[in-house]
Amino acid sequence: MTREEIIKKENIVYRKTPLFTDKPLSYCPGCGHGTVHRLILETIEEMGITSQTIGVAPVGCAVLAYEFMDIDMMQAAHGRAPALATAVKRLNPDQFVFTYQGDGDLAAIGTCETIHACNRGENFTMIFINNGIYGMTGGQMAPTTLPGMKSSTSPYGRDVKMMGNPLKITELIAQLPGTYFVTRQAVHTPAAVRKCKKAIRKAFENQKLDKGISFVEVVSNCNSGWKMTPVQANKWMEENMFPFYPLGDIKVPKE
Amino acid sequence: MKELRLMKGNEAIAEAAIRAGADGYFGYPITPQSEVLEYLMAQKPHERTGMVVLQAESEVAAINMVYGGASCGKKVMTSSSSPGISLKMEGISYMAGAELPGLIVNVTRGGPGLGTIQPSQSDYFQATKGGGHGDYRLIVLAPASVQETYDFVKLSFDLAFKYRNPVMILTDGIIGQMMEKVELGDQIPRSTREEIIKACPWATTGKTPDRQRSVITSLDLDSNKQEKHVLKLGAKYDKMEQDEVRFEKINCDDAEYIFVAFGSSARICQKSIEIGRAKGIKVGLIRPITLFPFPKKPIAEIANKVKGILTVEMNLGQMIEDVRLAVNGKVKVEHYGRTGGIIPTPEEVLIALEQKIIGG
């Protein structure tokens, strides 16, 4: 069989969505960010909404998300993405607007913006990557760091008496009347990736309904910050993160 | 037929925003400027022009909503008073870094801290010397009447888009709260999507196949690129200094002494001039209208002709630093001011001139 015979449209089982730029991802090997980027971009491509989509990047590991996504994007100050997105969507109600934030950005410094955008019932999609650590700044304790979990600012493990409790922000915002669809997903296995993509698609489709925030948390790993191999990190995530942050839909619109 | 109305300064800001074709206002209540948001909400601008008005959860959120709207090429603004403006400084720095147009109005009250709700001009440093982090400048306009406050809203939007830079109107609790006659302008229609795409090719309007993606960011991790960007900003600020200086001269032709004052203080100085001239004191006024770019040249020129200069500011002496730089030691420059929300009387300003400059 020749090369030309193999490279045929009908033989394609996987391709890079053209909405990815050609810039190599800056994420560590094994990190979930790249996978979630792909799911968002595939969703935009499949919905045919490239020219109607505006993304808001955070401060954190995904600060350079706009370098990899070939769509119009803006980069917010730390934690402020939901405020930006609020204005973008209200001023452009026909556009699809999404924020992409990590746990420090969304659940610590940006808690106020997160809760109020959710409570007002803004009509955009929030993607929340929860890896329980500040990755970009080198592995400090995050609002979502588990009790007992080690980080560079909790080197003996998170002592909840001294450092406070981890914040289950997703359960919290699910209580608010302005959230329409709230779910917690993962991207550590092919099955999880497929489920997560469905959730992201739904979260984007929901913007057509104008019913409020659609919120997708992705519990992810940080093998560099956790100081593990990618395989170890995924195993640790399953054994430790998932019991504390159980996967599944938290708030589903009544059909 | 002129449309005249008696309005508070704060109401004039709001009406001017609607009539300037603003797309969005994002604010948070704080005395003495809450009437801006109140007036807008009562006017239902979403029905009048389609303008979006939103009470944000904080000053921080409000300025970041302005950042988001401005990124899309929309004409957006916020207003607040001193403590709230401090909270907005992060967002203002980001807007300057990302080269976003937008209007921020500061109806100044006394500080530091929670200070007082009474008028002050003690945010001059914050407005003109940075306030937020990094090498950046705002164009700062200082109105001295309700009419100017009204007019400067449209002017600010024009300048903001001309330079892709945030513009601040620095007014104070006196002008915000006092009522004066205002001649209103015609309604300018809001820009259409097509007009925005044409005028702001940099904006995030949704990537179409005919262009590269638009990215709004103030970040560049490559030092060489970041320096190039900062130098580009610097060149823009130089251009503002060259082309956008605005000031007013009153009774300067035969003056032996000069007041330099902006905003409300300039109004008070006009009365001091009247009283002084009746007593035979030849005194005039230079009123900076743009605080950045600062009118260095007219002040340097007049320093060659007069015997002394008194800056009158409702603060401990802030603008005086810029006046002294412009005068460059050629003539005596002193400051007179009141703080804590106290408004100086024309008489005490004149006494200060007599004591600190004429007799000093």
mmCIF file of all heavy atoms in Angstrom, chain A residues 51 54 66-67 69-75 77 80 83-84 87-88 90-92 95 113 116 120, chain B residues 23 54 57 60 64-65 67-69 71-72 74 90 94 204-207 211 213-217:
data_model
loop_
_atom_site.group_PDB
_atom_site.id
_atom_site.type_symbol
_atom_site.label_atom_id
_atom_site.label_comp_id
_atom_site.label_asym_id
_atom_site.label_seq_id
_atom_site.Cartn_x
_atom_site.Cartn_y
_atom_site.Cartn_z
ATOM 1 N N SER A 51 -16.824 32.596 13.705
ATOM 2 C CA SER A 51 -16.906 34.053 13.527
ATOM 3 C C SER A 51 -17.838 34.694 14.558
ATOM 4 O O SER A 51 -17.979 35.909 14.590
ATOM 5 C CB SER A 51 -17.390 34.384 12.122
ATOM 6 O OG SER A 51 -18.699 33.890 11.954
ATOM 7 N N ILE A 54 -16.186 34.568 21.012
ATOM 8 C CA ILE A 54 -15.174 35.383 21.686
ATOM 9 C C ILE A 54 -14.814 34.688 22.989
ATOM 10 O O ILE A 54 -15.684 34.388 23.813
ATOM 11 C CB ILE A 54 -15.678 36.808 21.945
ATOM 12 C CG1 ILE A 54 -16.050 37.494 20.609
ATOM 13 C CG2 ILE A 54 -14.607 37.632 22.670
ATOM 14 C CD1 ILE A 54 -16.715 38.825 20.750
ATOM 15 N N TYR A 66 -4.802 32.088 24.154
ATOM 16 C CA TYR A 66 -5.062 32.761 22.869
ATOM 17 C C TYR A 66 -3.962 32.504 21.844
ATOM 18 O O TYR A 66 -4.140 32.775 20.666
ATOM 19 C CB TYR A 66 -5.259 34.274 23.082
ATOM 20 C CG TYR A 66 -4.122 34.963 23.803
ATOM 21 C CD1 TYR A 66 -2.947 35.310 23.127
ATOM 22 C CD2 TYR A 66 -4.216 35.277 25.154
ATOM 23 C CE1 TYR A 66 -1.900 35.932 23.786
ATOM 24 C CE2 TYR A 66 -3.166 35.902 25.821
ATOM 25 C CZ TYR A 66 -2.010 36.227 25.132
ATOM 26 O OH TYR A 66 -0.984 36.838 25.792
ATOM 27 N N GLU A 67 -2.834 31.995 22.295
ATOM 28 C CA GLU A 67 -1.768 31.677 21.339
ATOM 29 C C GLU A 67 -2.088 30.376 20.586
ATOM 30 O O GLU A 67 -1.542 30.123 19.531
ATOM 31 C CB GLU A 67 -0.437 31.483 22.076
ATOM 32 C CG GLU A 67 0.012 32.710 22.824
ATOM 33 C CD GLU A 67 1.167 33.417 22.144
ATOM 34 O OE1 GLU A 67 2.100 32.728 21.716
ATOM 35 O OE2 GLU A 67 1.116 34.653 22.048
ATOM 36 N N MET A 69 -5.432 29.089 20.269
ATOM 37 C CA MET A 69 -6.797 29.052 19.742
ATOM 38 C C MET A 69 -6.914 30.097 18.638
ATOM 39 O O MET A 69 -6.692 31.280 18.886
ATOM 40 C CB MET A 69 -7.801 29.343 20.858
ATOM 41 C CG MET A 69 -7.736 28.344 22.016
ATOM 42 S SD MET A 69 -9.099 28.603 23.169
ATOM 43 C CE MET A 69 -8.778 27.314 24.367
ATOM 44 N N ASP A 70 -7.278 29.646 17.449
ATOM 45 C CA ASP A 70 -7.340 30.565 16.321
ATOM 46 C C ASP A 70 -8.728 31.220 16.239
ATOM 47 O O ASP A 70 -9.448 31.105 15.255
ATOM 48 C CB ASP A 70 -7.007 29.810 15.023
ATOM 49 C CG ASP A 70 -6.701 30.783 13.894
ATOM 50 O OD1 ASP A 70 -6.438 31.969 14.185
ATOM 51 O OD2 ASP A 70 -6.747 30.361 12.726
ATOM 52 N N ILE A 71 -9.074 31.875 17.322
ATOM 53 C CA ILE A 71 -10.347 32.595 17.406
ATOM 54 C C ILE A 71 -10.065 33.933 18.087
ATOM 55 O O ILE A 71 -8.986 34.121 18.638
ATOM 56 C CB ILE A 71 -11.405 31.814 18.229
ATOM 57 C CG1 ILE A 71 -10.844 31.477 19.618
ATOM 58 C CG2 ILE A 71 -11.845 30.559 17.507
ATOM 59 C CD1 ILE A 71 -11.838 30.855 20.566
ATOM 60 N N ASP A 72 -11.027 34.839 18.044
ATOM 61 C CA ASP A 72 -10.845 36.127 18.724
ATOM 62 C C ASP A 72 -10.871 35.920 20.233
ATOM 63 O O ASP A 72 -11.803 35.306 20.764
ATOM 64 C CB ASP A 72 -11.950 37.111 18.315
ATOM 65 C CG ASP A 72 -11.641 37.792 16.999
ATOM 66 O OD1 ASP A 72 -10.641 37.409 16.359
ATOM 67 O OD2 ASP A 72 -12.394 38.705 16.612
ATOM 68 N N MET A 73 -9.844 36.446 20.892
ATOM 69 C CA MET A 73 -9.771 36.250 22.352
ATOM 70 C C MET A 73 -9.228 37.486 23.047
ATOM 71 O O MET A 73 -8.495 38.274 22.458
ATOM 72 C CB MET A 73 -8.871 35.052 22.687
ATOM 73 C CG MET A 73 -9.518 33.724 22.374
ATOM 74 S SD MET A 73 -8.647 32.335 23.132
ATOM 75 C CE MET A 73 -9.230 32.406 24.812
ATOM 76 N N MET A 74 -9.572 37.592 24.300
ATOM 77 C CA MET A 74 -8.988 38.632 25.135
ATOM 78 C C MET A 74 -8.451 37.972 26.392
ATOM 79 O O MET A 74 -8.920 36.903 26.793
ATOM 80 C CB MET A 74 -10.016 39.712 25.472
ATOM 81 C CG MET A 74 -11.232 39.210 26.197
ATOM 82 S SD MET A 74 -12.527 40.460 26.299
ATOM 83 C CE MET A 74 -13.200 40.432 24.643
ATOM 84 N N GLN A 75 -7.470 38.609 26.976
ATOM 85 C CA GLN A 75 -6.825 38.049 28.165
ATOM 86 C C GLN A 75 -7.155 38.962 29.329
ATOM 87 O O GLN A 75 -6.922 40.162 29.277
ATOM 88 C CB GLN A 75 -5.315 37.940 27.921
ATOM 89 C CG GLN A 75 -4.551 37.177 28.970
ATOM 90 C CD GLN A 75 -3.983 38.105 30.004
ATOM 91 O OE1 GLN A 75 -3.366 39.092 29.664
ATOM 92 N NE2 GLN A 75 -4.219 37.802 31.265
ATOM 93 N N ALA A 77 -7.385 40.297 33.428
ATOM 94 C CA ALA A 77 -6.606 40.368 34.668
ATOM 95 C C ALA A 77 -7.009 39.189 35.547
ATOM 96 O O ALA A 77 -8.078 38.590 35.367
ATOM 97 C CB ALA A 77 -6.871 41.689 35.381
ATOM 98 N N ARG A 80 -10.694 38.084 36.692
ATOM 99 C CA ARG A 80 -11.740 39.007 36.225
ATOM 100 C C ARG A 80 -12.487 38.541 34.979
ATOM 101 O O ARG A 80 -13.324 39.274 34.456
ATOM 102 C CB ARG A 80 -11.151 40.397 35.962
ATOM 103 C CG ARG A 80 -10.192 40.912 37.012
ATOM 104 C CD ARG A 80 -10.820 41.063 38.377
ATOM 105 N NE ARG A 80 -9.818 41.516 39.341
ATOM 106 C CZ ARG A 80 -9.763 41.126 40.595
ATOM 107 N NH1 ARG A 80 -10.645 40.262 41.076
ATOM 108 N NH2 ARG A 80 -8.825 41.586 41.395
ATOM 109 N N ALA A 83 -16.218 39.083 34.595
ATOM 110 C CA ALA A 83 -16.637 40.483 34.422
ATOM 111 C C ALA A 83 -16.486 40.887 32.959
ATOM 112 O O ALA A 83 -17.389 41.494 32.371
ATOM 113 C CB ALA A 83 -15.827 41.401 35.327
ATOM 114 N N LEU A 84 -15.360 40.515 32.356
ATOM 115 C CA LEU A 84 -15.158 40.810 30.931
ATOM 116 C C LEU A 84 -16.267 40.161 30.106
ATOM 117 O O LEU A 84 -16.890 40.800 29.248
ATOM 118 C CB LEU A 84 -13.807 40.273 30.441
ATOM 119 C CG LEU A 84 -12.578 41.156 30.571
ATOM 120 C CD1 LEU A 84 -12.247 41.424 32.029
ATOM 121 C CD2 LEU A 84 -11.365 40.535 29.886
ATOM 122 N N ALA A 87 -19.721 41.794 30.068
ATOM 123 C CA ALA A 87 -19.874 42.932 29.149
ATOM 124 C C ALA A 87 -19.864 42.468 27.701
ATOM 125 O O ALA A 87 -20.676 42.927 26.884
ATOM 126 C CB ALA A 87 -18.764 43.947 29.395
ATOM 127 N N VAL A 88 -18.972 41.544 27.385
ATOM 128 C CA VAL A 88 -18.868 41.082 25.992
ATOM 129 C C VAL A 88 -20.206 40.503 25.534
ATOM 130 O O VAL A 88 -20.719 40.824 24.461
ATOM 131 C CB VAL A 88 -17.746 40.034 25.846
ATOM 132 C CG1 VAL A 88 -17.747 39.430 24.442
ATOM 133 C CG2 VAL A 88 -16.387 40.655 26.150
ATOM 134 N N ARG A 90 -23.283 40.909 26.959
ATOM 135 C CA ARG A 90 -24.396 41.870 26.964
ATOM 136 C C ARG A 90 -24.316 42.835 25.788
ATOM 137 O O ARG A 90 -25.344 43.271 25.267
ATOM 138 C CB ARG A 90 -24.409 42.645 28.282
ATOM 139 C CG ARG A 90 -24.986 41.823 29.429
ATOM 140 C CD ARG A 90 -25.004 42.609 30.720
ATOM 141 N NE ARG A 90 -25.526 41.794 31.809
ATOM 142 C CZ ARG A 90 -26.654 42.077 32.487
ATOM 143 N NH1 ARG A 90 -27.352 43.149 32.205
ATOM 144 N NH2 ARG A 90 -27.057 41.288 33.465
ATOM 145 N N LEU A 91 -23.087 43.179 25.401
ATOM 146 C CA LEU A 91 -22.920 44.103 24.272
ATOM 147 C C LEU A 91 -23.010 43.382 22.930
ATOM 148 O O LEU A 91 -23.206 44.018 21.905
ATOM 149 C CB LEU A 91 -21.575 44.825 24.386
ATOM 150 C CG LEU A 91 -21.476 45.842 25.539
ATOM 151 C CD1 LEU A 91 -20.028 46.159 25.871
ATOM 152 C CD2 LEU A 91 -22.233 47.122 25.186
ATOM 153 N N ASN A 92 -22.841 42.060 22.956
ATOM 154 C CA ASN A 92 -22.897 41.266 21.718
ATOM 155 C C ASN A 92 -23.745 40.016 21.969
ATOM 156 O O ASN A 92 -23.227 38.900 21.989
ATOM 157 C CB ASN A 92 -21.482 40.834 21.295
ATOM 158 C CG ASN A 92 -20.534 41.997 21.129
ATOM 159 O OD1 ASN A 92 -20.549 42.685 20.114
ATOM 160 N ND2 ASN A 92 -19.721 42.239 22.148
ATOM 161 N N GLN A 95 -23.285 36.756 19.991
ATOM 162 C CA GLN A 95 -22.003 36.047 19.970
ATOM 163 C C GLN A 95 -22.017 34.919 21.012
ATOM 164 O O GLN A 95 -22.757 34.976 21.994
ATOM 165 C CB GLN A 95 -20.853 37.002 20.306
ATOM 166 C CG GLN A 95 -20.772 38.247 19.445
ATOM 167 C CD GLN A 95 -20.129 38.002 18.093
ATOM 168 O OE1 GLN A 95 -20.723 37.383 17.233
ATOM 169 N NE2 GLN A 95 -18.930 38.491 17.901
ATOM 170 N N GLU A 113 -16.259 37.872 41.209
ATOM 171 C CA GLU A 113 -16.730 37.968 39.824
ATOM 172 C C GLU A 113 -17.453 36.687 39.413
ATOM 173 O O GLU A 113 -18.462 36.723 38.714
ATOM 174 C CB GLU A 113 -15.556 38.239 38.875
ATOM 175 C CG GLU A 113 -15.008 39.659 38.924
ATOM 176 C CD GLU A 113 -14.104 39.933 40.113
ATOM 177 O OE1 GLU A 113 -13.762 38.982 40.842
ATOM 178 O OE2 GLU A 113 -13.737 41.104 40.330
ATOM 179 N N HIS A 116 -20.990 36.474 41.235
ATOM 180 C CA HIS A 116 -21.971 37.462 40.768
ATOM 181 C C HIS A 116 -22.363 37.258 39.308
ATOM 182 O O HIS A 116 -23.526 37.460 38.960
ATOM 183 C CB HIS A 116 -21.481 38.874 41.050
ATOM 184 C CG HIS A 116 -21.663 39.234 42.497
ATOM 185 N ND1 HIS A 116 -22.873 39.653 42.990
ATOM 186 C CD2 HIS A 116 -20.818 39.165 43.540
ATOM 187 C CE1 HIS A 116 -22.748 39.849 44.296
ATOM 188 N NE2 HIS A 116 -21.518 39.560 44.659
ATOM 189 N N ARG A 120 -26.193 36.566 38.573
ATOM 190 C CA ARG A 120 -26.978 37.427 37.671
ATOM 191 C C ARG A 120 -27.603 36.606 36.553
ATOM 192 O O ARG A 120 -28.523 37.072 35.890
ATOM 193 C CB ARG A 120 -26.080 38.503 37.039
ATOM 194 C CG ARG A 120 -25.785 39.715 37.914
ATOM 195 C CD ARG A 120 -25.171 40.850 37.089
ATOM 196 N NE ARG A 120 -23.952 40.429 36.417
ATOM 197 C CZ ARG A 120 -22.723 40.610 36.902
ATOM 198 N NH1 ARG A 120 -22.547 41.225 38.055
ATOM 199 N NH2 ARG A 120 -21.677 40.189 36.228
ATOM 200 N N ASP B 23 -22.062 52.665 24.077
ATOM 201 C CA ASP B 23 -22.653 51.320 24.019
ATOM 202 C C ASP B 23 -22.874 50.748 25.401
ATOM 203 O O ASP B 23 -23.750 49.899 25.578
ATOM 204 C CB ASP B 23 -21.719 50.379 23.252
ATOM 205 C CG ASP B 23 -21.552 50.803 21.813
ATOM 206 O OD1 ASP B 23 -22.561 50.839 21.095
ATOM 207 O OD2 ASP B 23 -20.411 51.121 21.411
ATOM 208 N N LEU B 54 -25.255 48.608 33.497
ATOM 209 C CA LEU B 54 -25.256 47.536 34.481
ATOM 210 C C LEU B 54 -24.612 48.000 35.784
ATOM 211 O O LEU B 54 -23.530 48.599 35.768
ATOM 212 C CB LEU B 54 -24.500 46.321 33.927
ATOM 213 C CG LEU B 54 -24.460 45.076 34.823
ATOM 214 C CD1 LEU B 54 -25.852 44.515 35.060
ATOM 215 C CD2 LEU B 54 -23.561 44.003 34.216
ATOM 216 N N GLU B 57 -20.944 44.313 40.615
ATOM 217 C CA GLU B 57 -20.816 43.888 42.006
ATOM 218 C C GLU B 57 -19.694 44.619 42.730
ATOM 219 O O GLU B 57 -19.581 44.536 43.944
ATOM 220 C CB GLU B 57 -20.604 42.375 42.090
ATOM 221 C CG GLU B 57 -19.308 41.845 41.470
ATOM 222 C CD GLU B 57 -19.457 41.486 40.006
ATOM 223 O OE1 GLU B 57 -20.250 42.152 39.298
ATOM 224 O OE2 GLU B 57 -18.768 40.550 39.547
ATOM 225 N N VAL B 60 -14.102 46.928 40.880
ATOM 226 C CA VAL B 60 -13.158 46.078 40.156
ATOM 227 C C VAL B 60 -13.874 45.413 38.983
ATOM 228 O O VAL B 60 -13.388 45.414 37.846
ATOM 229 C CB VAL B 60 -12.560 45.009 41.099
ATOM 230 C CG1 VAL B 60 -11.670 44.053 40.337
ATOM 231 C CG2 VAL B 60 -11.794 45.678 42.233
ATOM 232 N N ASN B 64 -13.465 46.033 34.762
ATOM 233 C CA ASN B 64 -13.163 44.890 33.903
ATOM 234 C C ASN B 64 -14.269 44.636 32.882
ATOM 235 O O ASN B 64 -14.012 44.094 31.811
ATOM 236 C CB ASN B 64 -12.851 43.659 34.748
ATOM 237 C CG ASN B 64 -11.437 43.730 35.315
ATOM 238 O OD1 ASN B 64 -10.473 43.510 34.586
ATOM 239 N ND2 ASN B 64 -11.305 44.091 36.578
ATOM 240 N N MET B 65 -15.477 45.038 33.208
ATOM 241 C CA MET B 65 -16.537 45.017 32.199
ATOM 242 C C MET B 65 -16.214 46.034 31.101
ATOM 243 O O MET B 65 -16.405 45.768 29.910
ATOM 244 C CB MET B 65 -17.884 45.330 32.853
ATOM 245 C CG MET B 65 -18.383 44.198 33.738
ATOM 246 S SD MET B 65 -19.836 44.674 34.694
ATOM 247 C CE MET B 65 -20.051 43.204 35.712
ATOM 248 N N TYR B 67 -13.229 46.867 30.268
ATOM 249 C CA TYR B 67 -12.148 46.216 29.500
ATOM 250 C C TYR B 67 -12.742 45.254 28.464
ATOM 251 O O TYR B 67 -12.342 45.244 27.298
ATOM 252 C CB TYR B 67 -11.226 45.467 30.477
ATOM 253 C CG TYR B 67 -10.027 44.774 29.864
ATOM 254 C CD1 TYR B 67 -8.737 45.268 30.048
ATOM 255 C CD2 TYR B 67 -10.169 43.596 29.135
ATOM 256 C CE1 TYR B 67 -7.630 44.622 29.506
ATOM 257 C CE2 TYR B 67 -9.074 42.946 28.581
ATOM 258 C CZ TYR B 67 -7.808 43.457 28.771
ATOM 259 O OH TYR B 67 -6.724 42.812 28.230
ATOM 260 N N GLY B 68 -13.705 44.452 28.909
ATOM 261 C CA GLY B 68 -14.327 43.476 28.002
ATOM 262 C C GLY B 68 -15.053 44.168 26.857
ATOM 263 O O GLY B 68 -14.900 43.794 25.693
ATOM 264 N N GLY B 69 -15.828 45.182 27.186
ATOM 265 C CA GLY B 69 -16.578 45.901 26.150
ATOM 266 C C GLY B 69 -15.652 46.611 25.185
ATOM 267 O O GLY B 69 -15.846 46.561 23.959
ATOM 268 N N SER B 71 -12.675 45.830 24.426
ATOM 269 C CA SER B 71 -11.986 44.840 23.587
ATOM 270 C C SER B 71 -12.774 44.558 22.314
ATOM 271 O O SER B 71 -12.206 44.217 21.286
ATOM 272 C CB SER B 71 -11.795 43.528 24.358
ATOM 273 O OG SER B 71 -10.966 43.720 25.483
ATOM 274 N N CYS B 72 -14.092 44.699 22.416
ATOM 275 C CA CYS B 72 -14.957 44.453 21.261
ATOM 276 C C CYS B 72 -15.145 45.719 20.419
ATOM 277 O O CYS B 72 -16.011 45.755 19.542
ATOM 278 C CB CYS B 72 -16.314 43.932 21.717
ATOM 279 S SG CYS B 72 -16.206 42.444 22.701
ATOM 280 N N LYS B 74 -16.306 48.537 21.473
ATOM 281 C CA LYS B 74 -17.503 49.271 21.892
ATOM 282 C C LYS B 74 -17.101 50.526 22.667
ATOM 283 O O LYS B 74 -16.049 50.577 23.300
ATOM 284 C CB LYS B 74 -18.373 48.379 22.784
ATOM 285 C CG LYS B 74 -18.876 47.118 22.087
ATOM 286 C CD LYS B 74 -20.047 47.410 21.187
ATOM 287 C CE LYS B 74 -20.613 46.115 20.599
ATOM 288 N NZ LYS B 74 -21.779 46.372 19.741
ATOM 289 N N GLU B 90 -6.116 48.688 38.741
ATOM 290 C CA GLU B 90 -5.617 47.482 38.072
ATOM 291 C C GLU B 90 -6.141 47.428 36.630
ATOM 292 O O GLU B 90 -5.383 47.276 35.670
ATOM 293 C CB GLU B 90 -6.079 46.231 38.836
ATOM 294 C CG GLU B 90 -5.737 44.943 38.125
ATOM 295 C CD GLU B 90 -6.543 43.738 38.630
ATOM 296 O OE1 GLU B 90 -7.783 43.831 38.733
ATOM 297 O OE2 GLU B 90 -5.929 42.725 38.923
ATOM 298 N N TYR B 94 -4.291 47.663 32.897
ATOM 299 C CA TYR B 94 -4.453 46.617 31.869
ATOM 300 C C TYR B 94 -4.979 47.216 30.564
ATOM 301 O O TYR B 94 -4.567 46.836 29.477
ATOM 302 C CB TYR B 94 -5.414 45.522 32.355
ATOM 303 C CG TYR B 94 -4.734 44.431 33.150
ATOM 304 C CD1 TYR B 94 -4.239 44.670 34.425
ATOM 305 C CD2 TYR B 94 -4.589 43.149 32.628
ATOM 306 C CE1 TYR B 94 -3.621 43.671 35.164
ATOM 307 C CE2 TYR B 94 -3.978 42.138 33.358
ATOM 308 C CZ TYR B 94 -3.497 42.403 34.619
ATOM 309 O OH TYR B 94 -2.887 41.416 35.344
ATOM 310 N N THR B 204 -12.024 42.386 19.101
ATOM 311 C CA THR B 204 -12.523 41.009 19.082
ATOM 312 C C THR B 204 -14.003 41.036 18.713
ATOM 313 O O THR B 204 -14.869 41.145 19.572
ATOM 314 C CB THR B 204 -12.354 40.338 20.455
ATOM 315 O OG1 THR B 204 -12.921 41.202 21.450
ATOM 316 C CG2 THR B 204 -10.904 40.105 20.802
ATOM 317 N N THR B 205 -14.256 40.948 17.418
ATOM 318 C CA THR B 205 -15.640 40.993 16.930
ATOM 319 C C THR B 205 -16.070 39.626 16.413
ATOM 320 O O THR B 205 -17.182 39.477 15.909
ATOM 321 C CB THR B 205 -15.750 42.026 15.800
ATOM 322 O OG1 THR B 205 -14.681 41.808 14.869
ATOM 323 C CG2 THR B 205 -15.650 43.445 16.335
ATOM 324 N N GLY B 206 -15.204 38.644 16.549
ATOM 325 C CA GLY B 206 -15.466 37.313 15.978
ATOM 326 C C GLY B 206 -14.609 37.145 14.735
ATOM 327 O O GLY B 206 -14.717 37.932 13.785
ATOM 328 N N LYS B 207 -13.747 36.123 14.740
ATOM 329 C CA LYS B 207 -12.793 35.961 13.633
ATOM 330 C C LYS B 207 -13.483 35.468 12.373
ATOM 331 O O LYS B 207 -14.123 34.425 12.370
ATOM 332 C CB LYS B 207 -11.701 34.958 14.030
ATOM 333 C CG LYS B 207 -10.615 34.824 12.978
ATOM 334 C CD LYS B 207 -9.730 33.613 13.209
ATOM 335 C CE LYS B 207 -8.763 33.409 12.078
ATOM 336 N NZ LYS B 207 -9.400 33.141 10.776
ATOM 337 N N ARG B 211 -9.539 37.490 7.874
ATOM 338 C CA ARG B 211 -8.518 38.168 8.686
ATOM 339 C C ARG B 211 -7.919 37.241 9.733
ATOM 340 O O ARG B 211 -8.461 36.192 10.033
ATOM 341 C CB ARG B 211 -9.116 39.413 9.349
ATOM 342 C CG ARG B 211 -10.179 39.119 10.429
ATOM 343 C CD ARG B 211 -10.318 40.311 11.366
ATOM 344 N NE ARG B 211 -11.459 40.238 12.259
ATOM 345 C CZ ARG B 211 -11.459 39.623 13.449
ATOM 346 N NH1 ARG B 211 -10.397 38.945 13.864
ATOM 347 N NH2 ARG B 211 -12.532 39.635 14.218
ATOM 348 N N ARG B 213 -6.795 36.306 13.599
ATOM 349 C CA ARG B 213 -7.573 36.465 14.817
ATOM 350 C C ARG B 213 -7.158 37.736 15.550
ATOM 351 O O ARG B 213 -5.994 38.142 15.480
ATOM 352 C CB ARG B 213 -7.404 35.253 15.723
ATOM 353 C CG ARG B 213 -6.048 35.140 16.406
ATOM 354 C CD ARG B 213 -5.942 33.786 17.097
ATOM 355 N NE ARG B 213 -4.737 33.658 17.903
ATOM 356 C CZ ARG B 213 -3.520 33.427 17.451
ATOM 357 N NH1 ARG B 213 -3.317 33.347 16.142
ATOM 358 N NH2 ARG B 213 -2.501 33.305 18.265
ATOM 359 N N SER B 214 -8.106 38.342 16.251
ATOM 360 C CA SER B 214 -7.793 39.499 17.097
ATOM 361 C C SER B 214 -7.539 39.003 18.507
ATOM 362 O O SER B 214 -8.311 38.198 19.033
ATOM 363 C CB SER B 214 -8.962 40.485 17.119
ATOM 364 O OG SER B 214 -9.101 41.099 15.869
ATOM 365 N N VAL B 215 -6.469 39.503 19.101
ATOM 366 C CA VAL B 215 -6.141 39.136 20.486
ATOM 367 C C VAL B 215 -5.931 40.417 21.279
ATOM 368 O O VAL B 215 -5.170 41.288 20.867
ATOM 369 C CB VAL B 215 -4.870 38.256 20.544
ATOM 370 C CG1 VAL B 215 -4.430 38.061 21.987
ATOM 371 C CG2 VAL B 215 -5.114 36.911 19.884
ATOM 372 N N ILE B 216 -6.625 40.530 22.373
ATOM 373 C CA ILE B 216 -6.446 41.679 23.262
ATOM 374 C C ILE B 216 -5.692 41.194 24.492
ATOM 375 O O ILE B 216 -6.203 40.392 25.265
ATOM 376 C CB ILE B 216 -7.809 42.279 23.681
ATOM 377 C CG1 ILE B 216 -8.631 42.689 22.463
ATOM 378 C CG2 ILE B 216 -7.596 43.443 24.653
ATOM 379 C CD1 ILE B 216 -8.061 43.809 21.639
ATOM 380 N N THR B 217 -4.479 41.676 24.652
ATOM 381 C CA THR B 217 -3.684 41.273 25.814
ATOM 382 C C THR B 217 -2.660 42.355 26.121
ATOM 383 O O THR B 217 -2.302 43.148 25.251
ATOM 384 C CB THR B 217 -2.976 39.922 25.567
ATOM 385 O OG1 THR B 217 -2.243 39.557 26.740
ATOM 386 C CG2 THR B 217 -2.024 39.984 24.396
#
